[in-house]
């Protein structure tokens, strides 16, 4: 009889612990919008939806100050391999822009001369042009680009459903473990209660 009581208390404790942790995990995200409750002045809403604006602002500031500044991004474009890609883009853009201004009946005739002109121009001027552009952007442009504000805006605009799906997809295994740990701790507490009641009785 005593063993049956202990088993029952362990099962009840495990179920309560598992349900409590499962509910706590669900309350990280849901409900997305505030839901009224019988308690006056208290609305139920998921932790992350409630704090989304604060989280977005904090993440934006941390990224800009600790992880990746606009200077870092612009310096990445100054690397040789990135410069070559920018040169290719500029060459294609200039070629296309000039060909658009050529009368349609001369396009076939002017295609090679325009391509030759653009290639010659880029070979002579592209390094200087890119260096001056990147230098200007690093000195003047970076100061006017607020990376933190951009990140904050993007996070605030990100649908909560997709954010929840991403977190669950990445951390589903760990979240399941938290649920089962709650169940195990609940069973342990139930066992301790059973032992205490036995010796106290």
């Amino acid at each position: 009889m005593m063993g049956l009581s202990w088993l029952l208390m362990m099962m009840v404790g495990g179920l309560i612990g598992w349900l409590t942790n499962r509910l706590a995990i669900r309350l990280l995200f849901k409900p997305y919008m505030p839901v009224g409750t019988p308690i006056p002045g208290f609305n139920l809403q998921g932790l992350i939806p409630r704090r989304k604006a604060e989280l977005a602002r904090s993440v934006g500031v941390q990224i800009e100050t600790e992880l990746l500044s606009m200077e870092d991004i612009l310096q990445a474009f100054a690397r040789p391999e990135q410069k070559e890609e920018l040169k290719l883009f500029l060459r294609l853009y200039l070629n296309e822009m000039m060909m658009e201004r050529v009368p349609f009946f001369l396009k076939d005739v002017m295609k090679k001369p325009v391509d030759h002109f653009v290639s010659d121009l880029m070979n002579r001027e592209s390094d200087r042009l890119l260096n001056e552009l990147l230098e200007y952007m690093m000195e003047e442009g970076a100061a006017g680009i607020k990376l933190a504000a951009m990140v904050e805006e993007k996070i605030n605009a990100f649908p909560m459903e997709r954010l929840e799906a991403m977190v669950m997809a990445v951390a589903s295994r760990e979240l399941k473990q938290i649920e089962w740990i709650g169940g195990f701790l609940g069973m342990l507490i139930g066992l301790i209660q059973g032992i205490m009641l036995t010796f106290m009785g």
Side-chain angles (χ1 to χ4, degrees):
M1 192 69 176
M2 184 184 301
L4 183 61
S5 298
W6 286 18
L7 180 62
L8 182 61
M9 294 184 73
M10 288 174 63
M11 290 177 63
V12 171
L15 181 62
I16 292 172
W18 178 78
L19 285 174
T20 301
N21 280 17
R22 185 176 177 83
L23 179 62
I25 291 171
R26 295 300 178 270
L27 287 175
L28 287 174
F29 288 96
K30 292 178 179 177
Y32 298 140
M33 303 300 294
V35 175
T37 66
I39 304 174
F42 177 76
N43 292 325
L44 183 64
Q45 186 180 13
L47 174 64
I48 292 177
R50 183 187 294 269
R51 300 283 182 157
K52 187 179 180 183
E54 297 173 40
L55 289 169
R57 189 178 307 112
S58 177
V59 169
V61 170
Q62 290 299 315
I63 288 177
E64 185 175 64
T65 58
E66 302 292 338
L67 297 178
L68 188 64
S69 66
M70 280 308 303
E71 288 81 359
D72 296 329
I73 295 174
L74 293 174
Q75 285 174 3
F77 282 103
R79 295 173 182 168
E81 61 272 20
Q82 296 298 327
K83 277 189 174 183
E84 291 303 315
E85 291 187 13
L86 286 172
K87 287 179 187 179
L88 178 60
F89 170 78
L90 284 174
R91 176 179 174 178
L92 294 173
Y93 177 78
L94 289 172
N95 202 315
E96 183 177 346
M97 185 179 67
M98 293 184 68
M99 287 301 297
E100 286 178 353
R101 285 157 175 75
V102 174
F104 73 93
F105 57 86
L106 292 177
K107 287 186 182 294
D108 290 338
V109 178
M110 294 298 295
K111 187 175 181 180
K112 285 187 178 180
V114 168
D115 184 64
H116 184 269
F117 171 78
V118 171
S119 297
D120 184 61
L121 178 66
M122 292 299 296
N123 288 336
R124 288 186 288 107
E125 301 293 336
S126 60
D127 284 327
R128 182 183 64 82
L129 176 63
L130 284 176
N131 287 335
E132 289 181 0
L133 178 62
L134 289 169
E135 184 178 345
Y136 170 79
M137 292 179 68
M138 287 181 186
E139 292 178 358
E140 304 293 337
I145 299 174
K146 303 301 182 184
L147 184 61
M150 293 170 60
V151 172
E152 180 181 350
E153 181 181 353
K154 290 292 184 183
I155 293 176
N156 278 324
F158 202 77
M160 188 56 62
E161 294 87 347
R162 288 179 59 193
L163 181 60
E164 180 184 11
M166 286 172 55
V167 172
M168 292 301 180
V170 172
S172 60
R173 181 178 177 182
E174 289 76 9
L175 295 175
K176 284 291 183 184
Q177 288 176 349
I178 291 173
E179 292 178 7
W180 289 113
I181 288 172
F184 173 76
L185 292 176
M187 290 179 65
L188 186 61
I189 292 171
L191 176 62
I192 293 172
Q193 287 177 334
I195 293 172
M196 290 177 64
L197 289 174
T198 300
F199 283 101
M200 291 174 64

